[in-house]
């Protein structure tokens, strides 16, 4: 078997004395690695309950449990587990069985291994500490359909209740301002209310300020928002400064300004004489540069003259060439900061933000009160309940129990983690330090982060690479590993994917937009292209003729089905692209089959 280029990373990730961060692209054997680590931990712990593995789906949890128990059962019967080419799983399973002696049979029972979903873990916590979690002991978890009905009820009731407040009540004033913001459109504000409830975890900290401090909390909002905006803006300016100073234009900026001033160009007086720093207060200066050097479309300026602050024939100078050739990344970074707010701009928006937060806080209170009265929780509420039970400042009994019990934590698909789940992991690791026998193992692939609609933030996975923040401002360090070998795909497909994504959509990722860098995969050396299948049903050297052949075949197939069914069945045909409709219409016309186009044709074609 060919030695893998990332073999050392895979071996290191099984070191059960250290915590690890593993980036594992599709097809790189993530589940196998998790299984091996779990088996190795079983050989080290006194009780299987000391290990907790968390997944995001029941299917993933079931697959992991099946692999682990399957390896243990086969080793117990002196058989080699499947998909174990190097025999390592067999050895790890045998060591685990030996470590637990007479109790080894318990390892293969369905309840012996702590492998559960995030929501399953949250439910486990909330049911054992309902008082601390703030839920009814007999609560039920509602699915998305039941939640949608409850949200509609809450929105209707809340809209009426806002008008029941006194005229000068801050909650009513804020609501009326939001309604005015939607031009008194009832559907508009109802849609906003539904989104607030569904996504309440995103801005929970802001609404909690109002809910806990009442009217006094409003005065805190400006400073909090200002601090967050400063961090965001200065990060963008820092990135821009780095890109701009590396260009030829940026390296001789002062000379450009001197040249413009000598020529009497307006830009010589309006542009800053030296490149600004990247503090928020310097944003207006950067925006002046951005407006002067880029177009509205966000590209580098190519036409120069008195109308835009330069002088005639400037484009023929070396300075004009420097601006035109600054590069797309630099031009895009300049164009982006045009829309950022200055420190003074946010003051006028603060009232709008305050109205939104006040209204959202009251609406969320309506919804969560209804949930408590009906003894139900949705998935967001379940996560928040678990978070309340794991309180850093006042540890609950369940938290002390878990702290005593759990010594090893494994989290699968970490790129799908949201803020609350990340905080749960952080609190689970409170007090853990390197070398105390406790470890964290998180694995995922940022390129597969697709659950932003469920509040997942891929940046959390990327941030975790630096360590897990624990109380006291310390970090629990994680050894970082990158798996590259792809066991699933053939060589040509891997090379094509590396080229397509690495050189196009993922070439220059924007971290603040949750874009992630592309890591190329490598072939395992076992799957060459002979195993690939090429399927071309209507192949022809003339691609247009091939498409015509496909349309003719489809029309004939529909004709056969119509004869078989007596022409009394409805038949629907879905096409991938609108520009091929005409050839299908012609093919069906030739077959004498009438049809109706429901969608797809533009008004002009109709």
């Amino acid at each position: 078997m060919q030695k893998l280029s990332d073999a050392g990373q895979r071996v290191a990730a099984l070191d059960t004395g250290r915590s690890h961060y593993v980036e594992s692209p599709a097809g790189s054997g993530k589940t196998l690695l998790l299984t091996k680590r779990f088996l190795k931990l079983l050989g080290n712990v006194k009780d299987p309950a000391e290990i907790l593995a968390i997944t995001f789906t029941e299917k993933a949890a079931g697959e992991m449990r099946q692999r682990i128990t399957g390896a243990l059962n086969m080793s117990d019967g002196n058989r080699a587990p499947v998909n174990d080419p190097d025999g390592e799983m067999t050895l790890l399973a045998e060591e685990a069985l030996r470590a637990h002696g007479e109790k080894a049979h318990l390892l293969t029972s369905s309840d012996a291994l702590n492998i559960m979903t995030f929501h399953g873990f949250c439910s486990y916590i909330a049911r054992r500490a309902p008082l601390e979690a703030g839920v009814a002991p007999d609560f039920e978890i509602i699915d998305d359909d039941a939640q949608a009905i409850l949200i509609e009820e809450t929105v209707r009731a809340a809209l009426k209740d806002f008008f029941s407040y006194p005229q000068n009540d801050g909650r009513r004033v804020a609501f009326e301002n939001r309604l005015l913001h939607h031009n008194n459109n009832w559907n508009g504000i109802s849609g906003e209310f539904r989104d607030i409830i569904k996504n309440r975890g995103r801005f929970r900290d802001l609404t909690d300020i109002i809910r806990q401090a009442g009217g006094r909390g409003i005065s805190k909002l400006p400073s909090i928002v200002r601090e967050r905006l400063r961090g965001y803006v200065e990060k963008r300016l820092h990135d821009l400064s780095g890109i701009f100073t590396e260009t030829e234009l940026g390296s001789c900026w002062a000379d450009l300004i001197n040249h413009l001033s000598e020529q009497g160009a307006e830009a010589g007086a309006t542009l800053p004489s030296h490149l600004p720093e990247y503090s928020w207060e310097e944003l207006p200066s950067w925006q002046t540069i951005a407006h002067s050097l880029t177009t509205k479309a966000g590209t580098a300026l190519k036409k120069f003259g008195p109308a835009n602050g330069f002088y005639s024939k400037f484009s023929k100078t070396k300075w004009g060439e420097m601006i035109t050739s600054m590069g797309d990344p630099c031009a895009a970074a300049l164009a982006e900061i045009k829309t950022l707010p200055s420190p003074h701009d946010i003051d006028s928006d603060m009232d709008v933000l305050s109205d939104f937060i006040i209204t959202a806080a009251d609406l969320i209170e309506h919804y969560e009160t209804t949930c408590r009265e009906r003894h139900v929780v949705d998935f967001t509420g379940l996560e928040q309940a678990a978070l309340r039970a794991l309180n850093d400042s006042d540890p609950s009994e369940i938290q002390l129990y878990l702290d005593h019990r759990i010594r090893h934590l494994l989290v699968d698909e970490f790129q799908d983690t949201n803020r609350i789940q990340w905080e749960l992991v952080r609190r689970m690791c409170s007090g853990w330090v390197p070398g105390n026998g406790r470890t964290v193992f998180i694995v995922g692939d940022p390129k597969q982060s697709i659950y932003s609609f469920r509040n997942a933030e891929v940046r959390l996975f990327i941030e975790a690479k630096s360590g897990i923040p624990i109380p006291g401002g310390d970090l629990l360090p994680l050894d970082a590993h990158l798996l590259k070998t792809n066991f699933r795909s053939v060589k040509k497909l891997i090379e094509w994917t590396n080229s397509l994504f690495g050189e196009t959509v993922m070439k220059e990722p924007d971290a603040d937009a949750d874009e992630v860098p592309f890591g190329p995969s490598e072939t395992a050396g076992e799957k060459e292209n002979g195993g690939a299948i090429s399927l071309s049903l209507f192949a022809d050297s003339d691609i247009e003729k091939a498409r015509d052949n496909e349309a003719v075949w489809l029309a004939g197939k529909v004709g056969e089905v119509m004869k078989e069914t007596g022409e009394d069945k409805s038949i629907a045909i879905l096409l991938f692209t609108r520009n091929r409709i005409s050839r299908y219409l012609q093919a069906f016309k030739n077959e004498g089959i009438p049809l109706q186009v429901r969608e797809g044709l533009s008004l002009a074609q109709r």
Side-chain angles (χ1 to χ4, degrees):
M1 182 178 178
Q2 179 180 336
K3 183 175 176 61
L4 306 179
S5 64
D6 56 4
Q9 299 293 317
R10 296 173 186 274
V11 172
L14 294 179
D15 182 350
T16 55
R18 303 178 67 85
S19 295
H20 303 274
Y21 165 104
V22 181
E23 186 175 331
S24 179
S28 60
K30 167 180 65 69
T31 305
L32 179 61
L33 186 64
L34 275 167
T35 302
K36 287 182 177 180
R37 183 169 179 88
F38 201 108
L39 285 170
K40 191 169 183 179
L41 287 170
L42 282 176
N44 295 340
V45 299
K46 296 180 180 179
D47 190 323
E50 295 176 19
I51 310 169
L52 172 62
I54 298 178
T55 68
F56 277 82
T57 65
E58 291 288 355
K59 181 180 178 181
E63 182 181 356
M64 188 187 301
R65 183 179 292 106
Q66 184 178 15
R67 286 201 183 197
I68 294 169
T69 56
L72 291 168
N73 278 319
M74 295 192 109
S75 294
D76 193 29
N78 295 319
R79 293 173 294 165
V82 294
N83 297 324
D84 186 23
D86 56 4
E88 187 174 15
M89 280 182 60
T90 302
L91 293 175
L92 293 175
E94 290 174 351
E95 290 175 6
L97 293 171
R98 282 196 299 270
H100 294 277
E102 296 179 356
K103 297 181 180 179
H105 65 282
L106 297 177
L107 300 181
T108 58
S109 68
S110 58
D111 299 327
L113 307 180
N114 286 332
I115 304 174
M116 59 186 78
T117 65
F118 247 116
H119 290 140
F121 177 60
C122 291
S123 178
Y124 171 88
I125 294 173
R127 293 194 187 283
R128 283 157 181 77
L131 181 63
E132 294 86 347
V135 295
D138 60 341
F139 72 86
E140 294 183 8
I141 304 171
I142 56 176
D143 58 20
D144 292 341
D145 293 334
Q147 183 196 28
I149 295 173
L150 188 58
I151 287 176
E152 288 300 324
E153 292 181 16
T154 302
V155 169
R156 287 197 298 269
L159 290 172
K160 293 179 181 179
D161 288 347
F162 277 117
F163 283 117
S164 69
Y165 296 140
Q167 287 280 353
N168 60 347
D169 189 296
R171 293 168 296 179
R172 176 163 178 168
V173 172
F175 165 71
E176 290 177 347
N177 288 338
R178 292 308 303 163
L179 186 57
L180 184 62
H181 177 80
H182 287 278
N183 295 321
N184 291 322
N185 185 307
W186 209 249
N187 290 331
I189 197 167
S190 296
E192 178 176 279
F193 278 13
R194 286 190 288 270
D195 289 340
I196 286 173
I197 295 174
K198 291 178 183 177
N199 299 295
R200 64 192 188 277
R202 289 183 181 269
F203 45 89
R204 178 77 185 210
D205 53 343
L206 292 179
T207 55
D208 278 350
I209 293 172
I210 303 298
R211 296 173 70 182
Q212 295 169 6
R216 299 188 304 276
I218 300 175
S219 62
K220 299 180 180 180
L221 283 177
S223 61
I224 294 174
V225 173
R226 187 177 291 276
E227 180 182 353
R228 293 185 181 182
L229 273 175
R230 175 177 291 279
Y232 177 78
V233 171
E234 291 185 351
K235 173 63 167 60
R236 309 310 295 163
L237 293 180
H238 180 271
D239 293 343
L240 168 61
S241 178
I243 295 173
F244 195 84
T245 54
E246 289 181 358
T247 65
E248 185 180 6
L249 177 66
S251 64
C252 53
W253 179 259
D255 295 335
L256 166 63
I257 301 304
N258 289 334
H259 172 76
L260 291 171
S261 299
E262 291 172 358
Q263 297 296 323
E266 181 184 350
T270 57
L271 289 170
S273 58
H274 294 84
L275 287 180
E277 299 293 329
Y278 45 83
S279 68
W280 195 10
E281 287 71 22
E282 295 287 348
L283 175 63
S285 296
W286 276 112
Q287 290 176 328
T288 299
I289 296 175
H291 284 292
S292 298
L293 304 187
T294 61
T295 65
K296 291 182 178 179
T299 59
L301 204 63
K302 290 182 172 55
K303 295 182 179 180
F304 306 93
N308 51 20
F310 296 90
Y311 59 87
S312 300
K313 298 184 180 181
F314 177 81
S315 58
K316 296 181 179 180
T317 67
K318 66 175 183 179
W319 305 107
E321 174 62 25
M322 287 182 191
I323 295 175
T324 301
S325 61
M326 70 172 68
D328 291 341
C330 184
L334 282 170
E336 182 186 9
I337 60 103
K338 292 179 183 179
T339 60
L340 296 180
S342 70
H344 304 294
D345 290 337
I346 68 167
D347 294 334
S348 60
D349 295 328
M350 198 54 63
D351 290 340
V352 177
L353 175 65
S354 296
D355 290 335
F356 176 83
I357 297 299
I358 292 169
T359 304
D362 200 60
L363 176 66
I364 292 171
E365 183 63 37
H366 271 80
Y367 178 75
E368 294 184 348
T369 298
T370 303
C371 288
R372 286 193 296 270
E373 291 173 349
R374 300 188 184 184
H375 294 195
V376 298
V377 296
D378 59 16
F379 291 123
T380 298
L382 184 63
E383 292 172 351
Q384 292 174 343
L387 202 58
R388 286 191 292 269
L390 302 183
N391 192 327
D392 279 343
S393 58
D394 184 18
S396 60
E397 289 187 10
I398 184 65
Q399 187 165 5
L400 293 174
Y401 170 78
L402 291 173
D403 184 62
H404 172 73
R405 193 66 165 170
I406 305 299
R407 301 188 63 80
H408 301 281
L409 176 63
L410 297 85
V411 186
D412 189 15
E413 303 291 6
F414 203 85
Q415 77 276 354
D416 295 327
T417 305
N418 61 36
R419 289 278 170 186
I420 298 178
Q421 292 164 345
W422 171 237
E423 181 65 13
L424 281 170
V425 171
R426 190 192 70 79
R427 294 189 184 183
M428 281 286 295
C429 300
S430 177
W432 293 21
V433 294
N436 70 347
R438 297 185 171 189
T439 66
V440 182
F441 184 86
I442 62 177
V443 61
D445 178 16
K447 297 189 293 298
Q448 296 185 64
S449 179
I450 60 173
Y451 290 106
S452 59
F453 65 93
R454 293 183 183 174
N455 299 332
E457 297 183 40
V458 68
R459 72 176 61 195
L460 297 177
F461 178 68
I462 297 173
E463 289 174 6
K465 189 174 184 178
S466 301
I468 299 177
I470 52 180
D474 296 326
L475 285 174
L476 178 64
L478 306 176
D479 293 348
H481 310 284
L482 173 62
L483 306 186
K484 296 182 178 181
T485 306
N486 185 307
F487 299 97
R488 186 180 300 164
S489 304
V490 296
K491 184 177 181 180
K492 274 193 175 180
L493 182 57
I494 294 173
E495 292 173 346
W496 177 81
T497 303
N498 289 342
S499 174
L500 176 66
F501 290 95
E503 297 300 324
T504 55
V505 294
M506 300 183 72
K507 186 175 182 180
E508 295 171 347
D510 182 352
D512 288 318
D514 272 1
E515 295 176 358
V516 299
F518 179 77
S521 295
E522 301 174 358
T523 178
E526 297 178 353
K527 288 189 176 183
E528 292 302 325
N529 300 311
I533 298 175
S534 176
L535 184 62
S536 302
L537 297 179
F538 311 101
D540 195 283
S541 58
D542 184 344
I543 189 171
E544 294 301 321
K545 186 178 179 181
R547 291 171 178 171
D548 286 336
N549 292 341
E550 180 183 356
V552 170
W553 175 86
L554 181 60
K557 192 66 177 177
V558 171
E560 293 176 9
V561 174
M562 291 177 66
K563 291 178 182 178
E564 294 172 0
T565 59
E567 301 188 12
D568 61 348
K569 299 291 184 181
S570 296
I571 300 175
I573 300 171
L574 304 180
L575 303 181
F576 283 104
T577 58
R578 184 170 59 193
N579 60 2
R580 298 188 187 180
I581 287 181
S582 58
R583 73 176 74 242
Y584 285 96
L585 291 176
Q586 185 62 48
F588 276 81
K589 181 179 179 180
N590 294 341
E591 285 286 332
I593 301 174
L595 54 80
Q596 180 181 17
V597 178
R598 291 294 183 90
E599 295 181 9
L601 289 177
S602 67
L603 185 60
Q605 290 171 312
R606 288 177 184 171

